[in-house]
Amino acid sequence: ERLRADLPLLRSQITLELGQAETAQDLLEANPYLLELDRAGNGAVIKVLSQVLTEPLPRQTAGVFQESARHPLLEQILLAASALVKVEGVHTEISGRNLSEALNASYRDGQPHLLGMLRRLPGTTASIDLQALLFYAKRQARQQQDAVQLVKQLPAALPFSSASQSMELGLGWRRVVQSLPASHRSQPLQVVVLQPKSGANGRVVVISHGLWDEPTSFEGWGQWLAGRGYTVLMPVHQGSDANQQQALLGGKQAPPSAAELRLRPLDVSLLLDAVEAGILLPGNSLKTREVAMVGHSWGATTTLQLAGLATTSAQLRTRCQNPRDPDRNLSWMLQCSWLEASERSSLADPRIKAAVAVSPPLSLLFDSRSGSKLTAKVLLVSGTRDWVVPPGPEAIAPLRQGTPMANGHRLVLADGGGHFNLRAPADQLGVPVLAPLIEAWINQQLKLPSTHRFDSGHWGNADLSLVDVTPRL
C-alpha cells in the first residue's frame, strides 16, 4: 500500500502512497513534499520515479524468479536486500515465488512494472533504510582502500616493449572448435583450441572463463600465447556459461547449481586426459605433465582448485547469513551458493604447475591452511576498483595470511582495474592489458628459455599500471 524511505540521519521519512496510482505523476500528486521538490528540481524527481517504478519489466522476469525460488543464489540476494528493505504486515519472508506471482499478477492487471509488482506483494508497507545503503557503500569503499594505498607504495612494472625483449609480436595461430564426450556432463564438452602456426614450444595453457561468460572474452590472451608458441585450450563450462545466462534470463533455467563447483575442474582435467590419450590434438608432441592455467573470476576459482587449494564449508556455514559482515561483498553471493558442494570440490590436478588467477572469489571457499599443498606457483591479479570481487577481502587478506614471497606466489594489482576491463576479447585492439604479464609468469614457472620472464620486468601496461605488491604483504 505504501513505500517509505527512512533517512535516520535527517530523522525524516518520505512516503509514497501506492494506492491506485498508475503513473509517477499520480505518486507525486499524493505527496506534496515530493511535488514541491520536483518543481524545484525541474522535473528530476518524476524522472527518477518513472525510471525506477513505472518502466515495464520483461515478462520473463517472472520465470527467472520462479526458476530461482529457494536457490542459494537468490536467497543470498534476498538476504542482502533484507538489510535495505523491511516489509511490514507480513508474517513470512518474501520469496522468489512471491516475486514471481506478484509480477504475473501485475501483467494480468495491465501494470507490468515495479509499481504494479510492489502493490501485489504481501504486506502493507515496504520501508527502505537509506542508512543501510550508506553502510553498504562505505563498506565497499573500505574493501578497495587497502589496494589503492598499496599501489602508491611501490613502482609500477615497466610497460611491455617487443623491442626491449628482442621479440616479434607473434607468430600467428590457428583456431578450431572441437567437442569431447564428457561423462560428467549432459552434453559433449566444447573447447576452443588455438595452436601456433610455427615455433610451437610443446606447452599447454588452459584458460577458464567466469560466470555467464565464454572463451571469446579471453581469446586476446589465448591469441597472444598461441602466437608465442603455446597451445591454448579454452573450455566452455556449459553449466555456467553465456548460454546458461540466456536461459536463466529467459525464465527457462535456474541459476548455476553448486555442482558446477565440481564440474568445472573436471572439464579441465578431462581436456588434459584427452590430450595425453591422443584423443584431442593427436600427433602433437605436447608436455601434459607441466601445464599452465589461467582463469578469470569463477574461472580463477577453478584455477586455484586445480592448483591445489582445498575447499571447505567452514566459513560458508558461519558467515553467509550475516549481511553486515565487514568483509561481505558481491562475490559472497556466488561463494555462498557453493555450500552444498564445498566439501567435495578439492580437485587438485598435479599437472598444473603455473597458475594465474585474475579476480577470483576465494575468501570463504578455501581452507587457508592448504596453501602449502599447492602444486603450482600462483600469480594472483586484482583490480583496485573491482566492486564485484574487491581486492581487500578477496586478494590481499588471503595472501597476508601466508608468506607468498617465501612460497613463490605473487600478487599484482592493476591500478584502476575493474572486474571486467581486465578481460581480453578476441577483437580487442592493441596489446591486451594482462597478456605480457601472464606470458612472463608462465615462461618463468615452466622454465622456458625466454628472456621475457616475471623477474625481468617489462610486463606492465602503459594505460593501466600493474604493481607487484607482494613485498608489502
Side-chain angles (χ1 to χ4, degrees):
E1 297 174 4
R2 66 189 62 85
L3 182 64
R4 186 178 68 226
D6 295 326
L7 298 89
L9 289 178
L10 301 179
R11 298 180 181 178
S12 177
Q13 295 179 342
I14 296 176
T15 301
L16 293 176
E17 295 292 340
L18 304 185
Q20 298 301 314
E22 296 186 7
T23 67
Q25 187 64 39
D26 293 341
L27 292 171
L28 275 184
E29 291 177 355
N31 189 307
Y33 172 76
L34 279 183
L35 188 59
E36 182 179 347
L37 193 62
D38 184 65
R39 289 170 180 161
N42 295 320
V45 175
I46 194 170
K47 181 179 179 181
V48 171
L49 289 177
S50 298
Q51 290 175 337
V52 174
L53 292 176
T54 59
E55 282 290 323
L57 293 170
R59 184 62 183 265
Q60 58 266 33
T61 305
V64 175
F65 290 142
Q66 187 66 44
E67 289 291 334
S68 304
R70 304 194 66 81
H71 189 282
L73 192 59
L74 180 61
E75 294 300 316
Q76 282 295 311
I77 293 172
L78 293 176
L79 175 67
S82 69
L84 299 175
V85 181
K86 305 295 182 184
V87 180
E88 301 169 14
V90 63
H91 301 295
T92 59
E93 294 184 356
I94 300 298
S95 66
R97 182 177 180 181
N98 294 142
L99 296 172
S100 177
E101 291 175 347
L103 184 56
N104 281 328
S106 71
Y107 264 89
R108 287 194 301 270
D109 294 345
Q111 298 177 354
H113 39 58
L114 185 58
L115 176 60
M117 182 177 169
L118 284 171
R119 191 178 292 128
R120 287 153 186 82
L121 284 173
T124 58
T125 303
S127 59
I128 303 174
D129 185 350
L130 298 185
Q131 185 70 12
L133 186 61
L134 181 62
F135 170 82
Y136 278 8
K138 287 183 175 180
R139 181 173 63 184
Q140 178 177 306
R142 285 197 306 271
Q143 292 173 352
Q144 296 175 336
Q145 187 175 14
D146 204 359
V148 172
Q149 293 301 317
L150 280 171
V151 297
K152 293 179 180 178
Q153 298 173 17
L154 292 163
L158 294 173
F160 172 81
S161 167
S162 60
S164 66
Q165 300 299 327
S166 298
M167 297 172 61
E168 296 296 329
L169 286 180
L171 302 171
W173 60 88
R174 292 184 297 271
R175 182 187 191 274
V176 296
V177 179
Q178 296 187 270
S179 296
L180 290 171
S183 60
H184 64 283
R185 291 289 192 184
S186 60
Q187 299 176 1
L189 177 66
Q190 276 200 331
V191 55
V192 176
V193 181
L194 301 177
Q195 290 182 280
K197 288 185 176 179
S198 60
N201 59 25
R203 302 305 184 105
V204 176
V205 180
V206 180
I207 299 180
S208 176
H209 67 76
L211 172 64
W212 294 325
D213 217 329
E214 56 192 348
T216 54
S217 297
F218 306 94
E219 282 197 45
W221 294 346
Q223 292 168 0
W224 180 277
L225 292 168
R228 283 155 178 76
Y230 289 97
T231 295
V232 181
L233 307 178
M234 308 179 72
V236 177
H237 301 296
Q238 60 187 248
S240 53
D241 67 342
N243 289 331
Q244 201 280 336
Q245 182 192 44
Q246 290 302 311
L248 170 67
L249 295 178
K252 299 176 182 178
Q253 285 188 16
S257 71
E260 278 300 305
L261 187 66
R262 288 180 48 81
L263 297 178
R264 283 169 148 260
L266 294 178
D267 290 343
V268 176
S269 292
L270 172 67
L271 291 181
L272 299 183
D273 291 343
V275 173
E276 285 188 343
I279 299 171
L280 181 63
L281 300 174
N284 290 267
S285 180
L286 297 172
K287 299 179 181 179
T288 55
R289 296 287 99 186
E290 293 183 339
V291 173
M293 186 167 175
V294 183
H296 175 263
S297 197
W298 192 347
T301 304
T302 303
T303 298
L304 294 175
Q305 288 174 264
L306 288 159
L309 280 185
T311 61
T312 175
S313 66
Q315 292 198 82
L316 294 171
R317 293 187 183 282
T318 59
R319 302 181 71 182
C320 280
Q321 298 307 311
N322 180 10
R324 298 187 72 84
D325 189 299
D327 290 333
R328 190 178 184 91
N329 58 78
L330 192 59
S331 83
W332 279 29
M333 293 185 184
L334 180 60
Q335 292 184 67
C336 292
S337 75
W338 295 335
L339 174 61
E340 184 180 331
S342 58
E343 292 292 346
R344 300 175 291 108
S345 298
S346 300
L347 298 168
D349 192 320
R351 293 172 290 192
I352 306 296
K353 299 300 184 184
V356 181
V358 182
S359 305
L362 65 88
S363 63
L364 295 185
L365 176 66
F366 293 110
D367 185 346
S368 60
R369 299 167 298 179
S370 66
S372 61
K373 298 178 182 178
L374 283 163
T375 60
K377 298 300 181 185
V378 176
L379 170 64
L380 192 62
V381 183
S382 183
T384 60
R385 294 183 181 176
D386 192 335
W387 55 271
V388 179
V389 186
E394 299 301 319
I396 298 169
L399 273 187
R400 275 185 172 148
Q401 294 174 3
T403 52
M405 287 188 71
N407 294 330
H409 312 300
R410 313 288 289 199
L411 170 61
V412 168
L413 294 177
D415 190 8
H419 192 69
F420 301 105
N421 67 349
L422 298 181
R423 299 183 303 173
D427 56 355
Q428 181 178 0
L429 299 177
V431 177
V433 173
L434 299 182
L437 169 61
I438 292 171
E439 183 201 355
W441 183 259
I442 294 173
N443 285 346
Q444 180 162 318
Q445 303 311 322
L446 298 188
K447 299 179 174 58
L448 265 68
S450 172
T451 58
H452 185 53
R453 297 160 60 88
F454 183 83
D455 287 348
S456 63
H458 290 281
W459 40 258
N461 184 270
D463 299 320
L464 206 66
S465 296
L466 302 179
V467 185
D468 178 10
V469 300
T470 320
R472 289 288 188 270
L473 299 181

